[in-house]
Amino acid sequence: MGDYDDVTAFLGQKGPYFYRTFFLLNTLFISTGFFGLFIVFVGATPPHHCFIPDSGNLSEAWRKAIIPIEVVNGQEEESKCSRYRLDVVRNLSALGYIPGLDVNLTGVEQECCVDGWSYSKDIYQSTIVTEWDLVCDNEWKTPFASSTLFVGFLIGSLLSGQLSDRFGRKKVIFASLVAQLVSVLIQAFSPSWEVFCIMFTFVGASQISLYISAFVLGTEVLSKSMREVFTTLGAFLHYCIGYMTLPWIAYAMREWRTLLIILSSVSVVYIPLWWFIPESPRWLYSQGRVEEAEAILRDAAKRNRVTAPEVIFKDTELDVASAPKNKYSMIDVLRTSNIRCVTLMCLFLWMAVNMGYYGLSLNTSNLSGDPYLNSFLSALTEVPAYVVSTVLLRNCQRRPLLSAFLLIGGGILYAHMYLDVFLCPVDLQGVAIAVEMVGKFAFTMSFTVVYIYTAEIYPTVVRSAGVGVCSSAARIGTIAAPYVIYLGSINKYLPYIIMGSLTVTSSAVNLFLPETFRKELPETVEHMQQCKGVCRKEPRNANILKKGGDTPAILNEVKL
């Protein structure tokens, strides 16, 4: 189809149909803010030390002294993974010796926490850490559990695009909702850490599938004027609403199993939306299901109180639509040279944005204060970025906008290196927090722009697959980021140099992508193949696409 937006122009730019669809799709994004971040509270590690049995017959002085004192980051604190040997301390206590006076504690033999650990309940009643003792030698299991969510994101990003392009946006959205509900509920009753991790992978896959499919559906169903609001202030801001709401739910439910049961029940309220959210007429048309597409468009016209034309799709278009359709998959975003170049550059962009954002996010755990309030404030700082991005995307070209914020993000990473390596971060804590918030603003802006930019670049038949593949690259960046941070133990400069350089380089790579500002959305892969020949035949200053033409202008920008 040459110009879907022109064919459906009779619907107008606003109306009850668009408002209802806009609102219902945005409510779906609120749940994604819950399920992508609850590990912050479920996997929290409270203060702890070796458990001391009551049957030890220890004096009060020895019970306080049995935990060795260690120096960590220049400060003294109780050891978390060792204690003085209980049998030795018991004998010394029985003999009436006073620790520190009669006995030099440095000479007393130590042992590991053979009786388990004692955890503070000042903040958390229980977490997976306290449930399965994920501390000391098992401390690696907590970040590994977090990584299983990102592995699920990776799997979901790869599969959801293909499933959505094959079976439809709406079916994948609600299948993901059900899978999300069931996965979190099973996770709440996990008998072991292994089961928790397995189910967390399913949670990640269903959560990202829901997000991507709903994002693509809104991009295709909504009018031009509402599309940009949806993909910025709509999708991202409602995700942020879920993110900001999560800390208060976690504050009220401080037992991790109860928290997950409450969160899983949230998905139930979305199931009735099946009867109110439409399938994408644009996708239906691309599949040759013209009658279904027309039925949805006529219903939309009725709700918007406008008159639909007697024939929505022309006869020539119907012939094309009714012809046998090619089945597209993830491979098609790499099949031809020009679309392959675009895809590879988008993959690099997504990975760089995600790695930089996650790298800055890792430092938020170092902020002092209440973890629930800190989490809320962290989410709150993203709101201005979403609002500003909405305004900028309506008035600015994508390429310079994205490159500018990537440069700012890369500069912030270098600034962090300067503060942490060359200056004393303790004395400049306020400056460090301010720098981090500016960095988070920049990377949040980059996330917002790169999502809508990618959705506008790919044609309808592979749009979900394209966004899904790019989202997969983002998950690779997320999984790799902790290992990049770990390089700091080898050389403290490396994490900043790697992530900063990657971000700055991506800002330059972005300049080679096609501009999509105020261009028509492409419909088929063939348009990109046609563009290569057209771009070679036309002079550089030619107006390749006349208004109302058949070839989407966005594709004529691909001169690779």
Short mmCIF file of all heavy atoms in Angstrom, two decimals, residues 437-489:
data_model
loop_
_atom_site.label_atom_id
_atom_site.label_comp_id
_atom_site.label_asym_id
_atom_site.label_seq_id
_atom_site.Cartn_x
_atom_site.Cartn_y
_atom_site.Cartn_z
N MET A 437 22.17 12.57 38.03
CA MET A 437 20.81 12.90 37.60
C MET A 437 20.80 13.49 36.20
O MET A 437 19.90 13.22 35.40
CB MET A 437 20.16 13.87 38.60
CG MET A 437 19.88 13.27 39.97
SD MET A 437 18.81 11.80 39.89
CE MET A 437 20.00 10.48 40.11
N VAL A 438 21.81 14.32 35.88
CA VAL A 438 21.91 14.87 34.53
C VAL A 438 22.15 13.73 33.53
O VAL A 438 21.57 13.69 32.44
CB VAL A 438 23.03 15.91 34.44
CG1 VAL A 438 23.24 16.36 33.00
CG2 VAL A 438 22.71 17.12 35.32
N GLY A 439 23.02 12.79 33.92
CA GLY A 439 23.28 11.64 33.05
C GLY A 439 22.05 10.79 32.83
O GLY A 439 21.78 10.35 31.71
N LYS A 440 21.28 10.60 33.89
CA LYS A 440 20.07 9.79 33.75
C LYS A 440 19.06 10.49 32.87
O LYS A 440 18.35 9.86 32.08
CB LYS A 440 19.47 9.49 35.12
CG LYS A 440 18.35 8.47 35.06
CD LYS A 440 17.97 7.95 36.43
CE LYS A 440 16.97 6.81 36.30
NZ LYS A 440 16.53 6.29 37.61
N PHE A 441 18.98 11.81 33.00
CA PHE A 441 18.10 12.59 32.13
C PHE A 441 18.50 12.40 30.67
O PHE A 441 17.65 12.18 29.79
CB PHE A 441 18.18 14.06 32.52
CG PHE A 441 17.35 14.97 31.67
CD1 PHE A 441 16.03 15.25 31.99
CD2 PHE A 441 17.88 15.56 30.52
CE1 PHE A 441 15.26 16.09 31.21
CE2 PHE A 441 17.13 16.39 29.73
CZ PHE A 441 15.81 16.66 30.08
N ALA A 442 19.81 12.47 30.39
CA ALA A 442 20.29 12.35 29.01
C ALA A 442 20.01 10.97 28.44
O ALA A 442 19.55 10.83 27.30
CB ALA A 442 21.79 12.65 28.96
N PHE A 443 20.27 9.93 29.22
CA PHE A 443 20.05 8.58 28.71
C PHE A 443 18.56 8.25 28.63
O PHE A 443 18.15 7.48 27.77
CB PHE A 443 20.78 7.56 29.59
CG PHE A 443 22.23 7.41 29.23
CD1 PHE A 443 23.21 7.96 30.02
CD2 PHE A 443 22.61 6.73 28.09
CE1 PHE A 443 24.55 7.84 29.69
CE2 PHE A 443 23.94 6.59 27.74
CZ PHE A 443 24.92 7.15 28.55
N THR A 444 17.75 8.81 29.52
CA THR A 444 16.30 8.63 29.40
C THR A 444 15.79 9.27 28.13
O THR A 444 14.96 8.70 27.41
CB THR A 444 15.58 9.23 30.62
OG1 THR A 444 16.06 8.59 31.82
CG2 THR A 444 14.08 9.03 30.52
N MET A 445 16.29 10.47 27.83
CA MET A 445 15.94 11.12 26.57
C MET A 445 16.37 10.27 25.38
O MET A 445 15.63 10.11 24.41
CB MET A 445 16.62 12.49 26.50
CG MET A 445 15.95 13.57 27.31
SD MET A 445 14.39 14.11 26.60
CE MET A 445 14.92 14.66 24.98
N SER A 446 17.58 9.70 25.46
CA SER A 446 18.08 8.85 24.37
C SER A 446 17.19 7.64 24.18
O SER A 446 16.89 7.24 23.05
CB SER A 446 19.52 8.42 24.67
OG SER A 446 20.38 9.54 24.78
N PHE A 447 16.75 7.03 25.28
CA PHE A 447 15.85 5.88 25.19
C PHE A 447 14.55 6.26 24.48
O PHE A 447 14.05 5.52 23.62
CB PHE A 447 15.52 5.35 26.59
CG PHE A 447 16.29 4.13 26.98
CD1 PHE A 447 17.12 4.13 28.08
CD2 PHE A 447 16.19 2.96 26.23
CE1 PHE A 447 17.83 3.00 28.44
CE2 PHE A 447 16.89 1.84 26.58
CZ PHE A 447 17.72 1.86 27.69
N THR A 448 14.01 7.41 24.87
CA THR A 448 12.75 7.85 24.29
C THR A 448 12.87 8.05 22.79
O THR A 448 12.03 7.60 22.00
CB THR A 448 12.29 9.15 24.96
OG1 THR A 448 12.28 8.98 26.38
CG2 THR A 448 10.91 9.53 24.50
N VAL A 449 13.93 8.74 22.38
CA VAL A 449 14.11 9.05 20.97
C VAL A 449 14.40 7.79 20.16
O VAL A 449 13.85 7.59 19.08
CB VAL A 449 15.25 10.07 20.79
CG1 VAL A 449 15.50 10.33 19.31
CG2 VAL A 449 14.90 11.38 21.49
N VAL A 450 15.25 6.90 20.69
CA VAL A 450 15.66 5.73 19.91
C VAL A 450 14.48 4.78 19.69
O VAL A 450 14.41 4.09 18.67
CB VAL A 450 16.85 5.01 20.59
CG1 VAL A 450 16.39 4.10 21.73
CG2 VAL A 450 17.63 4.20 19.56
N TYR A 451 13.54 4.73 20.62
CA TYR A 451 12.36 3.87 20.45
C TYR A 451 11.51 4.35 19.27
O TYR A 451 11.18 3.58 18.36
CB TYR A 451 11.53 3.86 21.74
CG TYR A 451 11.60 2.57 22.50
CD1 TYR A 451 12.37 2.44 23.65
CD2 TYR A 451 10.88 1.45 22.09
CE1 TYR A 451 12.44 1.25 24.35
CE2 TYR A 451 10.94 0.25 22.79
CZ TYR A 451 11.72 0.17 23.92
OH TYR A 451 11.78 -1.01 24.62
N ILE A 452 11.13 5.63 19.30
CA ILE A 452 10.26 6.12 18.23
C ILE A 452 11.02 6.19 16.91
O ILE A 452 10.46 5.92 15.84
CB ILE A 452 9.68 7.51 18.59
CG1 ILE A 452 8.68 7.95 17.52
CG2 ILE A 452 10.76 8.54 18.78
CD1 ILE A 452 7.92 9.21 17.88
N TYR A 453 12.30 6.50 16.96
CA TYR A 453 13.12 6.58 15.76
C TYR A 453 13.16 5.22 15.06
O TYR A 453 12.96 5.12 13.84
CB TYR A 453 14.53 7.02 16.16
CG TYR A 453 15.42 7.49 15.03
CD1 TYR A 453 14.91 7.75 13.76
CD2 TYR A 453 16.78 7.69 15.24
CE1 TYR A 453 15.73 8.18 12.74
CE2 TYR A 453 17.62 8.12 14.24
CZ TYR A 453 17.09 8.37 12.99
OH TYR A 453 17.90 8.80 11.98
N THR A 454 13.40 4.16 15.82
CA THR A 454 13.46 2.82 15.25
C THR A 454 12.12 2.39 14.69
O THR A 454 12.04 1.80 13.60
CB THR A 454 13.92 1.80 16.32
OG1 THR A 454 15.17 2.23 16.87
CG2 THR A 454 14.10 0.42 15.71
N ALA A 455 11.04 2.68 15.41
CA ALA A 455 9.71 2.30 14.94
C ALA A 455 9.36 3.02 13.64
O ALA A 455 8.65 2.48 12.79
CB ALA A 455 8.66 2.61 16.00
N GLU A 456 9.86 4.24 13.46
CA GLU A 456 9.57 4.99 12.24
C GLU A 456 10.43 4.54 11.06
O GLU A 456 10.03 4.68 9.91
CB GLU A 456 9.82 6.48 12.50
CG GLU A 456 8.80 7.12 13.42
CD GLU A 456 9.12 8.56 13.73
OE1 GLU A 456 10.27 8.98 13.50
OE2 GLU A 456 8.22 9.27 14.21
N ILE A 457 11.59 3.98 11.33
CA ILE A 457 12.50 3.57 10.26
C ILE A 457 12.01 2.31 9.55
O ILE A 457 12.01 2.23 8.32
CB ILE A 457 13.93 3.35 10.82
CG1 ILE A 457 14.58 4.69 11.12
CG2 ILE A 457 14.78 2.54 9.84
CD1 ILE A 457 15.94 4.57 11.77
N TYR A 458 11.54 1.30 10.32
CA TYR A 458 11.21 0.00 9.72
C TYR A 458 9.82 0.01 9.09
O TYR A 458 8.90 0.67 9.59
CB TYR A 458 11.27 -1.10 10.78
CG TYR A 458 12.69 -1.50 11.12
CD1 TYR A 458 13.28 -1.09 12.30
CD2 TYR A 458 13.45 -2.28 10.24
CE1 TYR A 458 14.57 -1.44 12.62
CE2 TYR A 458 14.74 -2.64 10.55
CZ TYR A 458 15.30 -2.21 11.73
OH TYR A 458 16.59 -2.56 12.03
N PRO A 459 9.64 -0.74 8.00
CA PRO A 459 8.32 -0.86 7.36
C PRO A 459 7.37 -1.70 8.19
O PRO A 459 7.79 -2.47 9.06
CB PRO A 459 8.65 -1.53 6.02
CG PRO A 459 9.90 -2.29 6.27
CD PRO A 459 10.69 -1.47 7.25
N THR A 460 6.09 -1.59 7.88
CA THR A 460 5.05 -2.24 8.68
C THR A 460 5.25 -3.75 8.80
O THR A 460 5.10 -4.32 9.88
CB THR A 460 3.67 -1.96 8.07
OG1 THR A 460 3.46 -0.54 8.02
CG2 THR A 460 2.57 -2.62 8.88
N VAL A 461 5.62 -4.40 7.70
CA VAL A 461 5.66 -5.86 7.69
C VAL A 461 6.74 -6.43 8.59
O VAL A 461 6.68 -7.60 8.98
CB VAL A 461 5.84 -6.39 6.25
CG1 VAL A 461 4.60 -6.10 5.42
CG2 VAL A 461 7.09 -5.78 5.60
N VAL A 462 7.76 -5.63 8.92
CA VAL A 462 8.82 -6.12 9.81
C VAL A 462 9.08 -5.15 10.95
O VAL A 462 10.13 -5.20 11.58
CB VAL A 462 10.14 -6.36 9.02
CG1 VAL A 462 10.00 -7.50 8.05
CG2 VAL A 462 10.60 -5.09 8.32
N ARG A 463 8.12 -4.27 11.23
CA ARG A 463 8.35 -3.26 12.25
C ARG A 463 8.54 -3.91 13.63
O ARG A 463 9.47 -3.57 14.37
CB ARG A 463 7.20 -2.26 12.29
CG ARG A 463 7.42 -1.11 13.28
CD ARG A 463 6.43 0.01 13.06
NE ARG A 463 6.66 0.65 11.78
CZ ARG A 463 5.74 0.71 10.82
NH1 ARG A 463 4.55 0.18 11.01
NH2 ARG A 463 6.01 1.31 9.69
N SER A 464 7.68 -4.85 13.99
CA SER A 464 7.83 -5.51 15.29
C SER A 464 9.14 -6.29 15.35
O SER A 464 9.83 -6.29 16.37
CB SER A 464 6.65 -6.46 15.53
OG SER A 464 5.52 -5.74 15.95
N ALA A 465 9.47 -6.99 14.26
CA ALA A 465 10.72 -7.75 14.24
C ALA A 465 11.91 -6.81 14.36
O ALA A 465 12.88 -7.11 15.08
CB ALA A 465 10.81 -8.56 12.95
N GLY A 466 11.86 -5.66 13.68
CA GLY A 466 12.97 -4.72 13.74
C GLY A 466 13.16 -4.14 15.13
O GLY A 466 14.27 -4.11 15.66
N VAL A 467 12.05 -3.70 15.75
CA VAL A 467 12.13 -3.17 17.10
C VAL A 467 12.56 -4.27 18.07
O VAL A 467 13.33 -4.04 19.00
CB VAL A 467 10.78 -2.56 17.53
CG1 VAL A 467 10.83 -2.12 18.99
CG2 VAL A 467 10.43 -1.37 16.65
N GLY A 468 12.08 -5.49 17.83
CA GLY A 468 12.44 -6.61 18.70
C GLY A 468 13.91 -6.94 18.64
O GLY A 468 14.56 -7.19 19.66
N VAL A 469 14.47 -6.97 17.43
CA VAL A 469 15.90 -7.25 17.27
C VAL A 469 16.73 -6.17 17.95
O VAL A 469 17.72 -6.46 18.63
CB VAL A 469 16.26 -7.38 15.78
CG1 VAL A 469 17.77 -7.42 15.59
CG2 VAL A 469 15.65 -8.63 15.19
N CYS A 470 16.35 -4.92 17.77
CA CYS A 470 17.09 -3.82 18.40
C CYS A 470 16.98 -3.89 19.92
O CYS A 470 17.94 -3.63 20.64
CB CYS A 470 16.56 -2.48 17.90
SG CYS A 470 16.93 -2.16 16.17
N SER A 471 15.80 -4.25 20.40
CA SER A 471 15.62 -4.40 21.84
C SER A 471 16.49 -5.53 22.38
O SER A 471 16.99 -5.47 23.51
CB SER A 471 14.14 -4.67 22.17
OG SER A 471 13.94 -4.75 23.56
N SER A 472 16.72 -6.56 21.56
CA SER A 472 17.60 -7.65 21.96
C SER A 472 19.03 -7.15 22.15
O SER A 472 19.72 -7.56 23.09
CB SER A 472 17.58 -8.76 20.90
OG SER A 472 16.28 -9.27 20.73
N ALA A 473 19.47 -6.27 21.26
CA ALA A 473 20.80 -5.69 21.41
C ALA A 473 20.89 -4.89 22.70
O ALA A 473 21.93 -4.88 23.37
CB ALA A 473 21.12 -4.81 20.21
N ALA A 474 19.79 -4.22 23.06
CA ALA A 474 19.77 -3.48 24.32
C ALA A 474 19.95 -4.41 25.50
O ALA A 474 20.65 -4.09 26.48
CB ALA A 474 18.45 -2.71 24.45
N ARG A 475 19.33 -5.61 25.43
CA ARG A 475 19.47 -6.56 26.54
C ARG A 475 20.88 -7.10 26.62
O ARG A 475 21.39 -7.38 27.70
CB ARG A 475 18.46 -7.71 26.37
CG ARG A 475 17.02 -7.25 26.18
CD ARG A 475 16.63 -6.15 27.15
NE ARG A 475 15.54 -5.33 26.60
CZ ARG A 475 15.22 -4.14 27.10
NH1 ARG A 475 15.89 -3.63 28.10
NH2 ARG A 475 14.24 -3.46 26.55
N ILE A 476 21.53 -7.26 25.47
CA ILE A 476 22.93 -7.68 25.49
C ILE A 476 23.77 -6.63 26.20
O ILE A 476 24.66 -6.95 27.00
CB ILE A 476 23.43 -7.92 24.06
CG1 ILE A 476 22.70 -9.11 23.43
CG2 ILE A 476 24.94 -8.16 24.04
CD1 ILE A 476 23.03 -9.33 21.97
N GLY A 477 23.47 -5.36 25.94
CA GLY A 477 24.16 -4.29 26.63
C GLY A 477 23.90 -4.32 28.13
O GLY A 477 24.81 -4.09 28.94
N THR A 478 22.66 -4.64 28.53
CA THR A 478 22.31 -4.72 29.94
C THR A 478 23.06 -5.85 30.62
O THR A 478 23.60 -5.69 31.72
CB THR A 478 20.80 -4.93 30.11
OG1 THR A 478 20.11 -3.84 29.49
CG2 THR A 478 20.42 -5.00 31.56
N ILE A 479 23.09 -7.01 29.97
CA ILE A 479 23.78 -8.16 30.55
C ILE A 479 25.28 -7.91 30.63
O ILE A 479 25.95 -8.33 31.58
CB ILE A 479 23.47 -9.43 29.73
CG1 ILE A 479 21.97 -9.76 29.81
CG2 ILE A 479 24.29 -10.61 30.21
CD1 ILE A 479 21.54 -10.85 28.86
N ALA A 480 25.82 -7.21 29.64
CA ALA A 480 27.27 -6.97 29.60
C ALA A 480 27.71 -5.88 30.57
O ALA A 480 28.86 -5.89 31.03
CB ALA A 480 27.69 -6.59 28.18
N ALA A 481 26.82 -4.95 30.89
CA ALA A 481 27.20 -3.81 31.72
C ALA A 481 27.80 -4.21 33.07
O ALA A 481 28.83 -3.64 33.47
CB ALA A 481 25.99 -2.89 31.93
N PRO A 482 27.22 -5.18 33.82
CA PRO A 482 27.84 -5.56 35.10
C PRO A 482 29.26 -6.08 34.94
O PRO A 482 30.12 -5.85 35.80
CB PRO A 482 26.90 -6.65 35.64
CG PRO A 482 25.60 -6.40 34.97
CD PRO A 482 25.95 -5.89 33.61
N TYR A 483 29.53 -6.76 33.84
CA TYR A 483 30.88 -7.27 33.61
C TYR A 483 31.84 -6.15 33.24
O TYR A 483 33.03 -6.19 33.58
CB TYR A 483 30.86 -8.34 32.52
CG TYR A 483 30.03 -9.54 32.90
CD1 TYR A 483 28.70 -9.66 32.48
CD2 TYR A 483 30.54 -10.55 33.70
CE1 TYR A 483 27.93 -10.76 32.84
CE2 TYR A 483 29.79 -11.64 34.08
CZ TYR A 483 28.47 -11.74 33.64
OH TYR A 483 27.71 -12.82 34.01
N VAL A 484 31.32 -5.12 32.55
CA VAL A 484 32.15 -3.95 32.26
C VAL A 484 32.48 -3.23 33.56
O VAL A 484 33.62 -2.78 33.77
CB VAL A 484 31.43 -3.01 31.27
CG1 VAL A 484 32.22 -1.73 31.08
CG2 VAL A 484 31.22 -3.71 29.93
N ILE A 485 31.48 -3.11 34.44
CA ILE A 485 31.71 -2.49 35.75
C ILE A 485 32.73 -3.29 36.55
O ILE A 485 33.58 -2.74 37.25
CB ILE A 485 30.39 -2.37 36.54
CG1 ILE A 485 29.41 -1.45 35.80
CG2 ILE A 485 30.65 -1.84 37.94
CD1 ILE A 485 29.89 -0.05 35.61
N TYR A 486 32.69 -4.61 36.41
CA TYR A 486 33.62 -5.47 37.14
C TYR A 486 35.07 -5.21 36.72
O TYR A 486 36.00 -5.41 37.51
CB TYR A 486 33.27 -6.94 36.89
CG TYR A 486 34.26 -7.92 37.48
CD1 TYR A 486 34.29 -8.15 38.86
CD2 TYR A 486 35.17 -8.58 36.67
CE1 TYR A 486 35.20 -9.04 39.41
CE2 TYR A 486 36.09 -9.48 37.21
CZ TYR A 486 36.10 -9.70 38.57
OH TYR A 486 37.00 -10.58 39.12
N LEU A 487 35.28 -4.73 35.50
CA LEU A 487 36.64 -4.42 35.04
C LEU A 487 37.28 -3.34 35.90
O LEU A 487 38.51 -3.18 35.89
CB LEU A 487 36.61 -3.97 33.58
CG LEU A 487 36.22 -5.03 32.54
CD1 LEU A 487 36.15 -4.40 31.15
CD2 LEU A 487 37.22 -6.17 32.55
N GLY A 488 36.45 -2.62 36.66
CA GLY A 488 37.00 -1.60 37.56
C GLY A 488 37.89 -2.18 38.63
O GLY A 488 38.76 -1.48 39.17
N SER A 489 37.69 -3.46 38.97
CA SER A 489 38.55 -4.11 39.96
C SER A 489 39.93 -4.41 39.38
O SER A 489 40.89 -4.61 40.12
CB SER A 489 37.91 -5.41 40.46
OG SER A 489 37.72 -6.33 39.39
#
